[in-house]
Amino acid sequence: MYPVKNPSHDARNANFRSTSWAAIKLLLVCLLTASVPYALYVRVDSKNVKAAVTTLPSGRSGSYLNAQEGHALRAEYRGEQSVVNAMQSGQAKARTLASADLDGDATPDLLAGYAYGGTGIVTIQRGNPEAFAPKDESVYQRMHDGYNPNSLLPIGETFQVPVAVDFLQAGDFNNDSRKDVLVAAQGGDLFLLAGDGSGNLSAPTQVALPGVVTALAAGEFRAPDGRTDLAVGVDGPAGPQVLIYDGANGVSAEPMILGLSARATSLQFGEMDGFPFMGLAIATGSEIEIVHGWGRKTSVSLESRVEKIDTGMNVRGLASGFFMWSREGSKQLAALGDDGTIRIFGRGQLNTQPLSEEELTARGRRRLQAKNRTPVDAEMLTGWQPAQAETWTKSRELVTGKVVGADATTRNLLQGADISFSDTDDLMVLGGNKLDVIRQVDIAKNAPASTTLIGSDFATTSLESADAPATLALKPTVVLPPAARLPL
């Protein structure tokens, strides 16, 4: 049973102001936030097979994002000798990254996918417990004395797979409560490496598909149930399609199938309307096709849940998040074009006028009153209806100058995140030898001294890389670091 509500960021803030206990909770959240630095991994192609982001942190004290100097995380690879040789010699070409806790030690592990000689390689570097959740309390004293543990252990395990790893996802895909790995090649097949819960992976087994893979994403679809749902873009005899697998059944079950107007080039799960369901955004050329979620206890056709957005550009990446402040507090969609232009789409016309203190107080009271409402079984709801839906409109256009269409192998070109701990989410964009972090700023209150403005109210901080990035991944550490490790 789920209470049906869609609180905005402002309503949550107002609720914090409502009681003294809420103020205490806010203080605890602030303390926790200050202790959560992020580990940002950018995989590059280089002979030394290293992950390196060379940043220039000097002079960024006035910026919303103060990054430490990047450094290479080298790995000692283990596995079949020919695969190890390929990794050490630089013959394997980096393609994609993913992060998951494969061995159940509450420490996320880093997975990387490579292309090698017509096949592929998956590597796993275990997370370092001392950087996430130390079991030995003496580690905290060592941190206070200057110890800065790497977030990954130095050993890299290697697994050879039948196809180049252009796509990589981690999650429970066979419904056995253990984390697995899925790999696929662009224009190729999909393979499952089942996990045993201790970090070991089985030999790859092919997942039968009605075509070759064009896009892959994992997340939550319909009412969130804690299971990993999967979306696969394919192109086959029946034309371009997207397959949606319910995590409660796994990839061995029959998927929901939706025919598309063109090949899917990017997929993104996220909030697509004001109902308590997750949807799926599909980039198909210059269009975004949105599949709205619905309750599992209702019967609807997949085609009836679709609406389309004409972006006016060839979409290379999608991200869902709260990128622009609005009174509605609703999530938006960001689309990245070949020329580096980012267009942010919102539902209806976003109201960006700031809230007064009186309005914040009133919202907080309504939020408290909502707690007394009778819960509703969300799975009984149909959700989004075409006749009542707000039209998606372009709320902002950001010209980054990054040409991203030249290299079709680069993955995760656009990603949403919250690494600056501000009211809105950040956008991370790969292009050239840089990773740009873009966020909305209030110029009147906090004009960043060392960032580049895009338009009137978005700022960019660039992290330079020694080599052209192939993909990126982001994961937080959760230990309390020494003062020197508070970059954000």
Side-chain angles (χ1 to χ4, degrees):
M1 303 287 285
Y2 302 90
V4 179
K5 53 190 177 184
N6 182 29
S8 69
H9 287 63
D10 302 302
R12 287 194 290 269
N13 290 339
N15 190 36
F16 280 137
R17 295 183 173 91
S18 299
T19 65
S20 58
W21 170 237
I24 294 173
K25 289 195 292 182
L26 178 58
L27 176 61
L28 293 175
V29 169
C30 291
L31 291 174
L32 178 60
T33 298
S35 68
V36 184
Y38 277 79
L40 177 65
Y41 296 101
V42 178
R43 186 64 62 177
V44 300
D45 277 331
S46 69
K47 191 168 184 178
N48 294 325
V49 192
K50 62 185 180 181
V53 181
T54 305
T55 62
L56 302 174
S58 60
R60 286 186 179 166
S61 59
S63 171
Y64 72 94
L65 175 65
N66 293 312
Q68 297 179 37
E69 188 73 24
H71 63 283
L73 294 178
R74 300 180 184 276
E76 178 185 338
Y77 293 105
R78 294 180 180 178
E80 185 179 329
Q81 192 58 48
S82 62
V83 176
V84 172
N85 291 340
M87 295 300 301
Q88 293 176 338
S89 66
Q91 298 177 59
K93 300 300 181 182
R95 286 291 183 266
T96 186
L97 288 171
S99 178
D101 179 10
L102 296 176
D103 51 13
D105 65 351
T107 301
D109 309 308
L110 184 69
L111 297 87
Y114 296 82
Y116 168 59
T119 63
I121 299 172
V122 174
T123 66
I124 300 175
Q125 277 186 265
R126 306 293 173 185
N128 182 2
E130 291 190 354
F132 289 85
K135 297 179 181 179
D136 183 356
E137 291 188 3
S138 67
V139 174
Y140 295 102
Q141 181 59 47
R142 291 164 58 198
M143 288 181 177
H144 183 271
D145 295 337
Y147 173 52
N148 189 0
N150 283 329
S151 57
L152 298 176
L153 296 175
I155 302 300
E157 303 166 61
T158 62
F159 302 83
Q160 189 163 18
V161 294
V163 295
V165 187
D166 294 321
F167 301 104
L168 175 65
Q169 292 290 339
D172 180 13
F173 300 115
N174 56 9
N175 194 28
D176 64 355
S177 300
R178 299 167 180 172
K179 295 291 177 62
D180 314 305
V181 175
L182 277 172
V183 300
Q186 177 72 51
D189 298 320
L190 177 68
F191 290 86
L192 173 70
L193 287 75
D196 65 356
S198 299
N200 302 310
L201 300 177
S202 68
T205 58
Q206 186 172 347
V207 178
L209 299 174
V212 296
V213 178
T214 65
L216 186 68
E220 290 266 22
F221 184 63
R222 297 189 290 185
D225 59 359
R227 300 177 186 271
T228 306
D229 302 314
L230 182 72
V232 187
V234 299
D235 194 10
Q241 299 173 319
V242 66
L243 317 179
I244 304 175
Y245 294 87
D246 193 319
N249 303 314
V251 293
S252 61
E254 289 295 320
M256 296 172 275
I257 301 177
L258 176 68
L260 302 175
S261 58
R263 281 189 172 196
T265 56
S266 184
L267 301 167
Q268 177 70 55
F269 287 102
E271 177 188 307
M272 302 297 164
D273 50 53
F275 291 90
F277 304 117
M278 296 294 104
L280 175 67
I282 310 163
T284 56
S286 63
E287 284 189 329
I288 301 174
E289 300 190 31
I290 298 176
V291 184
H292 293 268
W294 67 94
R296 292 176 175 84
K297 296 179 182 178
T298 63
S299 179
V300 300
S301 67
L302 202 57
E303 290 75 14
S304 70
R305 314 303 298 167
V306 177
E307 68 171 327
K308 297 183 179 182
I309 304 173
D310 184 1
T311 68
M313 62 184 184
N314 186 42
V315 179
R316 287 291 307 278
L318 290 172
S320 174
F322 188 63
F323 306 119
M324 287 182 56
W325 187 91
S326 70
R327 287 180 167 230
E328 296 80 7
S330 57
K331 295 290 182 68
Q332 297 122 26
L333 273 174
L336 176 67
D338 281 339
D339 62 353
T341 298
I342 298 174
R343 291 176 180 169
I344 300 175
F345 297 89
R347 302 196 301 269
Q349 295 294 330
L350 300 183
N351 187 342
T352 60
Q353 182 180 358
L355 293 165
S356 66
E357 288 296 327
E358 292 76 12
E359 288 173 315
L360 284 171
T361 301
R363 286 193 173 202
R365 289 172 179 168
R366 289 197 296 271
R367 173 77 188 280
L368 291 174
Q369 294 170 356
K371 290 184 177 180
N372 299 321
R373 293 177 182 173
T374 303
V376 175
D377 185 356
E379 298 289 12
M380 294 293 296
L381 300 177
T382 303
W384 175 86
Q385 297 294 328
Q388 304 170 357
E390 294 179 303
T391 303
W392 288 81
T393 58
K394 184 176 70 174
S395 302
R396 195 62 53 88
E397 179 170 303
L398 309 175
V399 180
T400 68
K402 287 179 174 288
V403 178
V404 299
D407 186 1
T409 64
T410 305
R411 302 295 167 201
N412 299 333
L413 291 167
L414 181 69
Q415 185 170 321
D418 185 14
I419 63 174
S420 58
F421 302 105
S422 60
D423 293 337
T424 56
D425 294 330
D426 306 287
L427 283 166
M428 296 189 294
V429 190
L430 281 183
N433 277 39
K434 292 182 180 181
L435 167 66
D436 283 349
V437 183
I438 302 173
R439 72 174 281 265
Q440 190 176 40
V441 294
D442 188 339
I443 302 300
K445 295 181 179 179
N446 182 24
S450 57
T451 56
T452 302
L453 289 178
I454 302 179
S456 59
D457 59 348
F458 278 81
T460 300
T461 298
S462 295
L463 305 182
E464 298 177 1
S465 174
D467 301 277
T471 186
L472 67 94
L474 183 76
K475 63 183 182 182
T477 60
V478 293
V479 300
L480 182 64
R485 289 193 64 207
L486 295 178
L488 301 178

